[in-house]
Amino acid sequence: MEENNIIISCNNVKKYYPIRDGIFNRIKDWKHIVDGLSFKLEQGKTLALVGESGCGKSVLLRLILGLENVTEGEIYFKGKSVYDLSEMQRLTMKSEIGMIFQDTLAALHPRMSIMESLKEPLLLNGMKDRKQMEKVIIDTLECVGMAPDFLNRYPHQLSGGQLQRIAIARALIIDPQVILADEPISALDVSLQAQVINMLIDLQESRNLSILLVAHDLAVVRQIASDIMIMYLGTIVESGKSSDIYKNAKHPYTKVLLKAAPSISKGINNEPFHLDLKVGDTPNPENPPKGCSFCTKCMEATERCLLERPEPKEVSPRHFVSCLYV
Amino acid sequence: MKESSKHNENILEVRDLKTYFNVGEGKVVKAVEGVNFSLKRSKILGIIGESGSGKSVTSRSIMRIVDQPGYIAGGEIIFEGQNLLEIPEREMEKIRGQKISLIFQNPTTSFNPFMTMEQHLKEVYLTHKKGATKSEARKRALEVLEMVGIHNGAEILKKYPCEFSAGFRQRVFIAMSMILEPDLLIADEPTTSLGITLQAEIMEALCEAQRKTGISIIIITHDFGVVSQFSDSLFVMYAGKCVESSPKKDLLLKPKHPYTIGLIRSVPLLEERKSKRLKSIPGFPPNMAEEQIGCSFSPRCEFAREKCFKDTPELKKVGEEHFCACHYPVDYNVEDDTKLEG
Amino acid sequence: MKKSVKYICENKVFSIGIFIVSISVFIAIFAPWIVPYNPADAVPKIRMLHPFRDASHILGADYLGRDMLSRIIYGIRISLLISVASVLLSMAVGGIIGLLCGLNYPGPFDTVLMRITDIQIGFPFIVVAIIALSLVEATIPSVIIVLSLATWPAYARNVRSSTMSQKETDYVAAARIMGAKNGRIAFRYIGRNLLPTILPTVSLDIAGTMISESLLSYINLGLNPPIISLGNIMADGASYISTEWWLTGVPGVVILLIVLGFNFIGDNLQRKVDPLLNK
């Protein structure tokens, strides 16, 4: 693997939130939200980060974007540490990253017209000429299949599908190299989901974009992701090429996810819903299990799992599994 | 358990249901425009539709809880032989909860944070069952919890709603809606906004409860995967109308309506597809405030011909128990696109 | 523009409010040109002239024989100036303090300023006004400042809480990702959401301040003659209230009308200026 090809890489990133208590708000304990993550995103690839709500995937995006600082570890953007860059360089870095939020309505300023919202990233990147700006905006809207007559409307006047297109347009308008997408389609209707997935595939091919896609559903990323990481409680339990994950899943949690995802073919075969999980709530990040993060829910867990933290093992090229019994 | 003689009868029949909303300036939004379906006792019907297709309004119409400015403009809802639209409000109140139960999308707001689970469950039981004692109520509460797979019921009853996760609360809510032994349960997007494993957990609990009590269920969702795994027959809605209904396998393997086909093609799958791109339905759903001429799907339909833009298609029989509202039903094989097997 | 005109025409309450307020603003601006007499000129012959008795002095005259209509016109000018200026001042001060506190939360700046606000809220306004006006002379600027003491904490609190909640929203995060700095986020993103929520209170506060001003003048703490405010006119007539009621009644009705006008606007303004409420 060539090093220059790597756009974003994370090295043992940790993010802990303090839990304060008592009259003097002393730090009592730490919530382990992201607990030692490492991965690399290559140019022109799509990496999907799959995990359920609360596993820390959105926090990871905030860390990459510099909205929050890491507790430990390093995040590199094109080989430079995100936290070493001077303010100016950081701004240029931001012009190379586009972000698509989960809740598109919340991510657009409610009292700015679509035109103004789309102008913002251009203004912040130093574009001044009004005509040029309008041309860029209309071109980008065409890219996402929207007519320019939406420009004078406000976000609450648009439907979910239209908003999602505007959100993608805003991320693309600065011509970024990377797109970070936080559950870009989970709030959309089925017929629009397919449109957005196709659009992302098209854009990636025409612009050689790298995409870091966060999702909670394995089926959703099937079509688009070249590599997949499965995240559970702040750690990556399994990662590999998309075919490795779908056809040759090794980690018990990945298997559970694959089995739990509802699908038409399961319906045709009359497969009932079934969940191989121990009853009870997911462990709290305040008090993560000492051993394997999944041990409290895993059906195959033994006493060793409770005590020993598994290290990622390479079971086949680039397919890593963090389980003691693989 | 219900008597076997009743086994094959329709518990619910909806005929030509129309629910409109007055949006002012003389405009009427026809949220539900002539919906027909029936549900056999102890069966599960899945209603699929995208947001704004009128699927939630249909369920609210059955319960007669359509909010202002909406009103039921016509049709019949025959539940166990009586038309729910003709009975007085007082009797409807008895039917709600006792005979028909509703599960909402958001279980968090359905609980009073200051009441324990025991108080919640008992309250429902005691208000509807006159003369029942508290110990009876508690016994019944433990029974229904067991039904949805909660085995340590006595412990759960002591706790407050905030002590549970969203998924667990939804489970208790399902138990609560079963406590009066209703004949029909309507689940309106019961798992939307929950994660994959929680969704599976809830659906498993619902399946278990259905198996144990033989209750009939209508499940309303936009998720094709969930309904196809859960229900016996399916019913697809688009723009306030029924476009296709049939037993599950027919609809999944041999869909006839272009919209159903489009939906099945665009559902994300765990299996590999033959092409990299999904075959999506172009365009957006219609604006319901505008009058629709012809088939409401025609602007987005790849098979649309001249007639489709003029005449509204009626629901026609295209196979045994298979109905489709399309002028030109399409023969389509799901396996063309995916590696699905029947 | 067409839409606004249509809205105003359709909404009767709002249009009455606009009508009253624009007339009083017109009177305030052009007072020197529209008064029939010099309000300071005393004509002993017409002392205590009842209103509607004499066509040349339609609202009568006061105990010194000064034309009431002219005095009220000047009174509107001063009262309006004072209440509008004082509310604008408290909005600016309270707004900026609230914005800075909200951005600074949970920092030391926020803690200190919010405690000051709390203390200020703890004192009844009238006590604050009495203390302040016994320390400084009552001039137009000092009365404006004293009156704004009553309203600024509300603005500060409002703006602060809105800023705090907006700071966490996705659109502010999106702006940060695009590279917007704090100043831009504060004014362009957060500020834009503050105005529509504050505006209705502004016109209600103008009405309230107008009443406070009259109250201060009435208890002889406000502006002193020869400056004429509506409160002053009422205070002048107060000694004759049992026999010559109109000396206090007529300016009272004028205050009532203007206050009503502002309140009518306040209720409906948000619906007009806020794009969120336009479907």
Side-chain angles (χ1 to χ4, degrees), chain A residues 19-48:
Chain A
I19 305 165
R20 290 170 192 275
D21 202 11
I23 312 172
F24 299 106
N25 261 346
R26 269 205 220 120
I27 294 171
K28 194 184 80 183
D29 210 343
W30 297 91
K31 270 190 196 175
H32 299 228
I33 301 295
V34 177
D35 207 359
L37 270 192
S38 307
F39 68 86
K40 292 186 173 81
L41 174 61
E42 285 169 58
Q43 173 91 49
K45 286 281 175 69
T46 304
L47 177 63

mmCIF file of all heavy atoms in Angstrom, chain A residues 19-48:
data_model
loop_
_atom_site.group_PDB
_atom_site.id
_atom_site.type_symbol
_atom_site.label_atom_id
_atom_site.label_comp_id
_atom_site.label_asym_id
_atom_site.label_seq_id
_atom_site.Cartn_x
_atom_site.Cartn_y
_atom_site.Cartn_z
ATOM 1 N N ILE A 19 -16.861 12.114 33.597
ATOM 2 C CA ILE A 19 -18.127 12.079 34.333
ATOM 3 C C ILE A 19 -17.872 12.866 35.603
ATOM 4 O O ILE A 19 -17.014 12.503 36.393
ATOM 5 C CB ILE A 19 -18.523 10.633 34.695
ATOM 6 C CG1 ILE A 19 -18.568 9.795 33.446
ATOM 7 C CG2 ILE A 19 -19.837 10.606 35.443
ATOM 8 C CD1 ILE A 19 -18.585 8.315 33.742
ATOM 9 N N ARG A 20 -18.599 13.960 35.761
ATOM 10 C CA ARG A 20 -18.349 14.811 36.914
ATOM 11 C C ARG A 20 -19.394 14.537 37.981
ATOM 12 O O ARG A 20 -20.523 14.196 37.682
ATOM 13 C CB ARG A 20 -18.381 16.278 36.510
ATOM 14 C CG ARG A 20 -17.196 16.666 35.668
ATOM 15 C CD ARG A 20 -17.402 18.046 35.088
ATOM 16 N NE ARG A 20 -16.408 18.320 34.066
ATOM 17 C CZ ARG A 20 -15.200 18.788 34.340
ATOM 18 N NH1 ARG A 20 -14.844 19.053 35.575
ATOM 19 N NH2 ARG A 20 -14.336 18.990 33.376
ATOM 20 N N ASP A 21 -18.996 14.707 39.189
ATOM 21 C CA ASP A 21 -19.921 14.433 40.277
ATOM 22 C C ASP A 21 -19.538 15.268 41.491
ATOM 23 O O ASP A 21 -18.430 15.806 41.568
ATOM 24 C CB ASP A 21 -19.892 12.934 40.619
ATOM 25 C CG ASP A 21 -21.171 12.525 41.328
ATOM 26 O OD1 ASP A 21 -22.103 13.339 41.342
ATOM 27 O OD2 ASP A 21 -21.227 11.418 41.867
ATOM 28 N N GLY A 22 -20.454 15.365 42.439
ATOM 29 C CA GLY A 22 -20.155 16.045 43.692
ATOM 30 C C GLY A 22 -20.290 17.552 43.568
ATOM 31 O O GLY A 22 -20.565 18.094 42.502
ATOM 32 N N ILE A 23 -20.124 18.226 44.706
ATOM 33 C CA ILE A 23 -20.332 19.676 44.753
ATOM 34 C C ILE A 23 -19.303 20.400 43.887
ATOM 35 O O ILE A 23 -19.589 21.400 43.263
ATOM 36 C CB ILE A 23 -20.203 20.191 46.205
ATOM 37 C CG1 ILE A 23 -21.030 19.318 47.141
ATOM 38 C CG2 ILE A 23 -20.661 21.638 46.308
ATOM 39 C CD1 ILE A 23 -20.813 19.634 48.590
ATOM 40 N N PHE A 24 -18.083 19.907 43.865
ATOM 41 C CA PHE A 24 -17.035 20.643 43.169
ATOM 42 C C PHE A 24 -16.837 20.155 41.739
ATOM 43 O O PHE A 24 -15.853 20.487 41.097
ATOM 44 C CB PHE A 24 -15.720 20.543 43.949
ATOM 45 C CG PHE A 24 -15.846 21.129 45.318
ATOM 46 C CD1 PHE A 24 -15.911 20.320 46.437
ATOM 47 C CD2 PHE A 24 -15.957 22.505 45.470
ATOM 48 C CE1 PHE A 24 -16.055 20.875 47.692
ATOM 49 C CE2 PHE A 24 -16.110 23.052 46.728
ATOM 50 C CZ PHE A 24 -16.155 22.241 47.843
ATOM 51 N N ASN A 25 -17.816 19.368 41.273
ATOM 52 C CA ASN A 25 -17.735 18.890 39.900
ATOM 53 C C ASN A 25 -16.421 18.185 39.597
ATOM 54 O O ASN A 25 -15.814 18.381 38.557
ATOM 55 C CB ASN A 25 -17.896 20.062 38.927
ATOM 56 C CG ASN A 25 -19.307 20.118 38.409
ATOM 57 O OD1 ASN A 25 -20.057 19.163 38.562
ATOM 58 N ND2 ASN A 25 -19.659 21.228 37.797
ATOM 59 N N ARG A 26 -15.974 17.422 40.537
ATOM 60 C CA ARG A 26 -14.721 16.711 40.300
ATOM 61 C C ARG A 26 -14.938 15.575 39.319
ATOM 62 O O ARG A 26 -16.014 14.991 39.236
ATOM 63 C CB ARG A 26 -14.187 16.162 41.608
ATOM 64 C CG ARG A 26 -13.276 17.177 42.230
ATOM 65 C CD ARG A 26 -12.287 16.534 43.124
ATOM 66 N NE ARG A 26 -12.168 17.402 44.296
ATOM 67 C CZ ARG A 26 -12.450 17.004 45.517
ATOM 68 N NH1 ARG A 26 -12.809 15.758 45.740
ATOM 69 N NH2 ARG A 26 -12.336 17.825 46.512
ATOM 70 N N ILE A 27 -13.891 15.284 38.567
ATOM 71 C CA ILE A 27 -14.000 14.197 37.606
ATOM 72 C C ILE A 27 -13.947 12.871 38.358
ATOM 73 O O ILE A 27 -12.976 12.562 39.045
ATOM 74 C CB ILE A 27 -12.873 14.287 36.567
ATOM 75 C CG1 ILE A 27 -13.079 15.564 35.748
ATOM 76 C CG2 ILE A 27 -12.882 13.067 35.676
ATOM 77 C CD1 ILE A 27 -11.946 15.906 34.846
ATOM 78 N N LYS A 28 -15.061 12.141 38.238
ATOM 79 C CA LYS A 28 -15.172 10.905 39.003
ATOM 80 C C LYS A 28 -14.666 9.725 38.180
ATOM 81 O O LYS A 28 -14.002 8.844 38.666
ATOM 82 C CB LYS A 28 -16.652 10.698 39.366
ATOM 83 C CG LYS A 28 -16.892 9.658 40.427
ATOM 84 C CD LYS A 28 -18.387 9.473 40.637
ATOM 85 C CE LYS A 28 -18.963 8.583 39.554
ATOM 86 N NZ LYS A 28 -20.421 8.416 39.656
ATOM 87 N N ASP A 29 -15.033 9.773 36.902
ATOM 88 C CA ASP A 29 -14.702 8.630 36.056
ATOM 89 C C ASP A 29 -14.699 9.102 34.608
ATOM 90 O O ASP A 29 -14.976 10.257 34.321
ATOM 91 C CB ASP A 29 -15.762 7.531 36.264
ATOM 92 C CG ASP A 29 -15.152 6.158 36.042
ATOM 93 O OD1 ASP A 29 -14.062 6.112 35.441
ATOM 94 O OD2 ASP A 29 -15.755 5.172 36.463
ATOM 95 N N TRP A 30 -14.384 8.193 33.720
ATOM 96 C CA TRP A 30 -14.351 8.545 32.298
ATOM 97 C C TRP A 30 -15.269 7.633 31.514
ATOM 98 O O TRP A 30 -15.347 6.445 31.761
ATOM 99 C CB TRP A 30 -12.931 8.411 31.754
ATOM 100 C CG TRP A 30 -11.975 9.348 32.392
ATOM 101 C CD1 TRP A 30 -11.221 9.126 33.485
ATOM 102 C CD2 TRP A 30 -11.697 10.684 31.990
ATOM 103 N NE1 TRP A 30 -10.467 10.236 33.805
ATOM 104 C CE2 TRP A 30 -10.747 11.208 32.895
ATOM 105 C CE3 TRP A 30 -12.159 11.503 30.947
ATOM 106 C CZ2 TRP A 30 -10.250 12.498 32.783
ATOM 107 C CZ3 TRP A 30 -11.655 12.780 30.838
ATOM 108 C CH2 TRP A 30 -10.711 13.282 31.751
ATOM 109 N N LYS A 31 -15.976 8.238 30.534
ATOM 110 C CA LYS A 31 -16.746 7.433 29.591
ATOM 111 C C LYS A 31 -15.848 7.115 28.415
ATOM 112 O O LYS A 31 -15.309 8.022 27.782
ATOM 113 C CB LYS A 31 -17.936 8.252 29.064
ATOM 114 C CG LYS A 31 -19.182 8.145 29.846
ATOM 115 C CD LYS A 31 -20.292 8.807 29.061
ATOM 116 C CE LYS A 31 -21.471 9.061 29.968
ATOM 117 N NZ LYS A 31 -22.524 9.795 29.330
ATOM 118 N N HIS A 32 -15.718 5.843 28.117
ATOM 119 C CA HIS A 32 -14.860 5.471 26.997
ATOM 120 C C HIS A 32 -15.708 5.442 25.728
ATOM 121 O O HIS A 32 -16.312 4.434 25.415
ATOM 122 C CB HIS A 32 -14.242 4.100 27.232
ATOM 123 C CG HIS A 32 -13.394 4.056 28.461
ATOM 124 N ND1 HIS A 32 -12.130 3.528 28.470
ATOM 125 C CD2 HIS A 32 -13.615 4.503 29.721
ATOM 126 C CE1 HIS A 32 -11.621 3.641 29.684
ATOM 127 N NE2 HIS A 32 -12.508 4.214 30.458
ATOM 128 N N ILE A 33 -15.775 6.554 25.037
ATOM 129 C CA ILE A 33 -16.642 6.621 23.861
ATOM 130 C C ILE A 33 -15.942 6.000 22.657
ATOM 131 O O ILE A 33 -16.503 5.167 21.949
ATOM 132 C CB ILE A 33 -17.028 8.077 23.552
ATOM 133 C CG1 ILE A 33 -17.736 8.684 24.745
ATOM 134 C CG2 ILE A 33 -17.912 8.137 22.320
ATOM 135 C CD1 ILE A 33 -19.052 8.059 25.082
ATOM 136 N N VAL A 34 -14.734 6.450 22.383
ATOM 137 C CA VAL A 34 -13.931 5.825 21.331
ATOM 138 C C VAL A 34 -12.696 5.272 22.037
ATOM 139 O O VAL A 34 -12.005 6.000 22.724
ATOM 140 C CB VAL A 34 -13.538 6.848 20.239
ATOM 141 C CG1 VAL A 34 -12.652 6.185 19.207
ATOM 142 C CG2 VAL A 34 -14.766 7.428 19.586
ATOM 143 N N ASP A 35 -12.476 3.995 21.859
ATOM 144 C CA ASP A 35 -11.456 3.358 22.700
ATOM 145 C C ASP A 35 -10.422 2.627 21.846
ATOM 146 O O ASP A 35 -10.454 1.420 21.704
ATOM 147 C CB ASP A 35 -12.157 2.382 23.658
ATOM 148 C CG ASP A 35 -11.353 2.191 24.930
ATOM 149 O OD1 ASP A 35 -10.270 2.798 25.026
ATOM 150 O OD2 ASP A 35 -11.807 1.445 25.801
ATOM 151 N N GLY A 36 -9.538 3.422 21.243
ATOM 152 C CA GLY A 36 -8.449 2.804 20.501
ATOM 153 C C GLY A 36 -8.842 2.364 19.100
ATOM 154 O O GLY A 36 -8.956 1.181 18.827
ATOM 155 N N LEU A 37 -9.054 3.345 18.222
ATOM 156 C CA LEU A 37 -9.448 3.033 16.846
ATOM 157 C C LEU A 37 -8.294 3.305 15.905
ATOM 158 O O LEU A 37 -7.645 4.336 16.012
ATOM 159 C CB LEU A 37 -10.600 3.929 16.421
ATOM 160 C CG LEU A 37 -12.019 3.484 16.668
ATOM 161 C CD1 LEU A 37 -12.956 4.380 15.904
ATOM 162 C CD2 LEU A 37 -12.181 2.070 16.199
ATOM 163 N N SER A 38 -8.046 2.414 14.979
ATOM 164 C CA SER A 38 -7.058 2.675 13.948
ATOM 165 C C SER A 38 -7.644 2.258 12.611
ATOM 166 O O SER A 38 -8.227 1.185 12.510
ATOM 167 C CB SER A 38 -5.780 1.872 14.190
ATOM 168 O OG SER A 38 -5.326 2.097 15.494
ATOM 169 N N PHE A 39 -7.506 3.111 11.609
ATOM 170 C CA PHE A 39 -7.899 2.714 10.257
ATOM 171 C C PHE A 39 -7.286 3.670 9.250
ATOM 172 O O PHE A 39 -6.737 4.712 9.612
ATOM 173 C CB PHE A 39 -9.419 2.671 10.105
ATOM 174 C CG PHE A 39 -10.078 4.011 10.164
ATOM 175 C CD1 PHE A 39 -10.202 4.790 9.034
ATOM 176 C CD2 PHE A 39 -10.588 4.491 11.360
ATOM 177 C CE1 PHE A 39 -10.804 6.029 9.085
ATOM 178 C CE2 PHE A 39 -11.195 5.726 11.417
ATOM 179 C CZ PHE A 39 -11.287 6.497 10.267
ATOM 180 N N LYS A 40 -7.360 3.305 7.994
ATOM 181 C CA LYS A 40 -6.827 4.152 6.924
ATOM 182 C C LYS A 40 -7.867 4.252 5.830
ATOM 183 O O LYS A 40 -8.500 3.267 5.464
ATOM 184 C CB LYS A 40 -5.545 3.529 6.346
ATOM 185 C CG LYS A 40 -4.384 3.534 7.305
ATOM 186 C CD LYS A 40 -3.136 3.032 6.616
ATOM 187 C CE LYS A 40 -1.906 3.189 7.497
ATOM 188 N NZ LYS A 40 -1.778 2.103 8.484
ATOM 189 N N LEU A 41 -8.046 5.451 5.328
ATOM 190 C CA LEU A 41 -8.970 5.654 4.213
ATOM 191 C C LEU A 41 -8.148 6.003 2.983
ATOM 192 O O LEU A 41 -7.402 6.974 2.976
ATOM 193 C CB LEU A 41 -9.950 6.782 4.533
ATOM 194 C CG LEU A 41 -10.892 7.201 3.404
ATOM 195 C CD1 LEU A 41 -11.779 6.065 2.983
ATOM 196 C CD2 LEU A 41 -11.737 8.385 3.830
ATOM 197 N N GLU A 42 -8.293 5.175 1.941
ATOM 198 C CA GLU A 42 -7.491 5.412 0.740
ATOM 199 C C GLU A 42 -8.231 6.281 -0.254
ATOM 200 O O GLU A 42 -9.449 6.330 -0.278
ATOM 201 C CB GLU A 42 -7.160 4.071 0.070
ATOM 202 C CG GLU A 42 -6.098 3.282 0.799
ATOM 203 C CD GLU A 42 -6.012 1.879 0.253
ATOM 204 O OE1 GLU A 42 -5.774 1.748 -0.956
ATOM 205 O OE2 GLU A 42 -6.205 0.933 1.012
ATOM 206 N N GLN A 43 -7.435 6.914 -1.107
ATOM 207 C CA GLN A 43 -7.976 7.744 -2.193
ATOM 208 C C GLN A 43 -8.925 6.930 -3.072
ATOM 209 O O GLN A 43 -8.601 5.824 -3.491
ATOM 210 C CB GLN A 43 -6.794 8.229 -3.031
ATOM 211 C CG GLN A 43 -7.151 8.953 -4.289
ATOM 212 C CD GLN A 43 -7.264 10.439 -4.039
ATOM 213 O OE1 GLN A 43 -6.390 11.038 -3.449
ATOM 214 N NE2 GLN A 43 -8.349 11.017 -4.492
ATOM 215 N N GLY A 44 -10.100 7.494 -3.320
ATOM 216 C CA GLY A 44 -11.025 6.869 -4.255
ATOM 217 C C GLY A 44 -11.748 5.648 -3.726
ATOM 218 O O GLY A 44 -12.437 4.968 -4.461
ATOM 219 N N LYS A 45 -11.593 5.371 -2.429
ATOM 220 C CA LYS A 45 -12.264 4.197 -1.871
ATOM 221 C C LYS A 45 -13.438 4.631 -0.978
ATOM 222 O O LYS A 45 -13.505 5.778 -0.539
ATOM 223 C CB LYS A 45 -11.274 3.399 -1.006
ATOM 224 C CG LYS A 45 -10.257 2.635 -1.816
ATOM 225 C CD LYS A 45 -10.873 1.362 -2.356
ATOM 226 C CE LYS A 45 -9.955 0.608 -3.287
ATOM 227 N NZ LYS A 45 -8.806 0.002 -2.648
ATOM 228 N N THR A 46 -14.291 3.700 -0.721
ATOM 229 C CA THR A 46 -15.369 3.967 0.228
ATOM 230 C C THR A 46 -15.212 3.042 1.423
ATOM 231 O O THR A 46 -15.193 1.825 1.275
ATOM 232 C CB THR A 46 -16.739 3.704 -0.409
ATOM 233 O OG1 THR A 46 -16.833 4.490 -1.579
ATOM 234 C CG2 THR A 46 -17.845 4.089 0.540
ATOM 235 N N LEU A 47 -15.054 3.649 2.559
ATOM 236 C CA LEU A 47 -14.920 2.885 3.781
ATOM 237 C C LEU A 47 -16.198 3.063 4.584
ATOM 238 O O LEU A 47 -16.631 4.183 4.818
ATOM 239 C CB LEU A 47 -13.717 3.402 4.571
ATOM 240 C CG LEU A 47 -13.451 2.781 5.930
ATOM 241 C CD1 LEU A 47 -13.139 1.304 5.776
ATOM 242 C CD2 LEU A 47 -12.293 3.479 6.600
ATOM 243 N N ALA A 48 -16.827 1.964 4.956
ATOM 244 C CA ALA A 48 -18.057 2.069 5.728
ATOM 245 C C ALA A 48 -17.773 1.702 7.176
ATOM 246 O O ALA A 48 -17.075 0.733 7.456
ATOM 247 C CB ALA A 48 -19.122 1.151 5.168
#
